[in-house]
Amino acid sequence: MVKKLSRNTLIYKFSPNLRPAEVADPRDIVIFETIDALGGQVRSEDVSLSEIDWGKINPATGPLYIEGGEPGDTLVVDILDIKVEDKAVIIVVPKYGALHEEVFSAKVKLLDVSKDFVKFNNIKIPAKPMIGVIGVAPEKGEIPTGTSGPHGGNMDVAEVTRGRRLYFPIFTEGALLAVGDLHVVQGDGEVCVAAAEVSGEVTVRVDVIKERHPPYPVLEAEGYYAILASGKTLDEAARAATKAAVEALMREYNYSFEEAYMLASLVVHLRINQVVDPMKGIRAELPKSIVTLNSLLVPTTKK
Ligand code: CA
Ligand code: CA
């Protein structure tokens, strides 16, 4: 059956202590109504960024409790559809982004969105709606929705689009999935700190794989799996993504570290997710001809 979570159930941190906004069974279809990363506060180019309530940025809708999802299991999320509204917003903020050391002014720009394009001045950019924030609750404590980690969160991966599938490690009963921060389009890197930020609606199908889990969220696309790692620096994120990819190849082929490390150098593509959030993101793409899902999910040893 189809369940719907409205924009009234916003969270600003992922935590096992949050009350579920809704409960779903495996195989259920669920719609998340989401509000843009600025909390819907910027509706005009005249808004001064100092007027914004920064406590209301990066909202995610949820959390959704998935029956049967227990620590050590995998949450499967099929992205069936992403609908976006017809106005998006992008900002630049002094001291933020890849060029945070440059001197520049704060600026707000509203962007018109049509079915296939977002318009930047007179430049028509093909729309590729994606989800910036998607994740589950950590084992304990709370993690702001503006950052990322093994639980997912603010990963800002341009490839998290319609038709793709995500696998998350489950850390707490019911997983507690939340979704927000849609972008009409974003380049790898998200260099200025914002993308075409937009409100909208995400339709997913959830499922659970028992007693196996990915060390980091995994994205499944047509021809590849991507391990979505994060770190305080890009170097750290690259190391984490590479290590997880090498370990998957060791499991796939029963290889030594040395053999798997060599193979990784031939077939794994490290790509930048974003360079602007508190935790930087790198994904390791592994072709499906080389690795199976089975090797990306680790058997869970019961405590
Ligand atoms: Ca984001
Ligand atoms: Ca965003």
Side-chain angles (χ1 to χ4, degrees):
M1 73 180 275
V2 179
K3 307 244 161 114
K4 188 163 186 171
L5 281 80
S6 83
R7 278 174 204 157
N8 300 326
T9 59
L10 298 178
I11 65 164
Y12 299 90
K13 50 201 151 200
F14 290 95
S15 167
N17 305 320
L18 294 177
R19 245 188 63 169
E22 182 58 270
V23 178
D25 287 312
R27 309 296 297 160
D28 274 355
I29 290 175
V30 184
I31 299 170
F32 291 80
E33 274 186 4
T34 67
I35 195 151
D36 70 60
L38 296 163
Q41 298 178 90
V42 180
R43 293 278 182 241
S44 141
E45 295 185 349
D46 299 328
V47 170
S48 156
L49 293 179
S50 58
E51 294 165 30
I52 290 179
D53 180 350
W54 291 89
K56 288 194 175 143
I57 66 160
N58 280 311
T61 303
L64 175 73
Y65 184 103
I66 295 97
E67 292 282 6
E70 295 175 300
D73 296 343
T74 296
L75 176 67
V76 184
V77 181
D78 276 309
I79 304 168
L80 303 180
D81 198 13
I82 301 174
K83 288 195 182 85
V84 294
E85 294 188 348
D86 59 6
K87 275 271 189 267
V89 61
I90 184 162
I91 59 173
V92 287
V93 187
K95 298 191 170 61
Y96 281 85
L99 302 183
H100 56 90
E101 286 166 333
E102 302 288 322
V103 177
F104 60 94
S105 311
K107 187 171 169 70
V108 174
K109 213 166 167 65
L110 293 187
L111 310 173
D112 285 326
V113 181
S114 66
K115 188 171 162 289
D116 299 318
F117 295 96
V118 57
K119 264 182 87 182
F120 186 91
N121 298 329
N122 288 323
I123 305 171
K124 285 166 85 179
I125 302 165
K128 185 177 172 182
M130 52 150 286
I131 304 169
V133 172
I134 182 164
V136 298
E139 185 183 352
K140 52 183 191 268
E142 44 191 46
I143 301 178
T145 45
T147 189
S148 61
H151 71 294
N154 192 15
M155 297 188 290
D156 290 319
V157 182
E159 297 304 321
V160 175
T161 58
R162 187 182 294 135
R164 301 274 165 88
R165 174 181 281 179
L166 288 162
Y167 302 86
F168 291 97
I170 298 180
F171 299 101
T172 192
E173 293 286 329
L176 301 182
L177 175 70
V179 179
D181 187 23
L182 303 185
H183 301 155
V184 187
V185 70
Q186 178 209 304
D188 281 344
E190 203 187 10
V191 294
C192 94
V193 87
E197 309 290 334
V198 72
S199 300
E201 203 177 271
V202 176
T203 306
V204 301
R205 187 192 292 112
V206 291
D207 206 352
V208 172
I209 298 173
K210 296 299 292 178
E211 291 172 15
R212 303 179 72 79
H213 69 279
Y216 292 94
V218 169
L219 169 70
E220 180 176 355
E222 296 69 26
Y224 66 84
Y225 293 102
I227 299 166
L228 310 178
S230 42
K232 287 197 182 73
T233 63
L234 276 182
D235 280 355
E236 203 178 287
R239 262 196 302 278
T242 304
K243 186 155 184 277
V246 168
E247 286 170 354
L249 293 173
M250 289 170 73
R251 285 190 290 275
E252 181 77 35
Y253 295 101
N254 209 11
Y255 276 174
S256 65
F257 175 86
E258 291 79 3
E259 294 268 337
Y261 197 16
M262 288 177 188
L263 178 60
S265 203
L266 304 180
V267 299
V268 173
H269 299 295
L270 292 187
R271 300 196 197 279
I272 289 174
N273 295 330
Q274 51 70 30
V275 300
V276 295
D277 292 331
M279 296 288 275
K280 319 302 175 207
I282 295 272
R283 62 185 183 275
E285 289 183 5
L286 298 99
K288 283 183 172 172
S289 58
I290 296 288
V291 78
T292 57
L293 178 63
N294 206 34
S295 302
L296 293 163
L297 304 182
V298 185
T300 301
T301 44
K302 285 273 172 201
K303 279 182 191 163

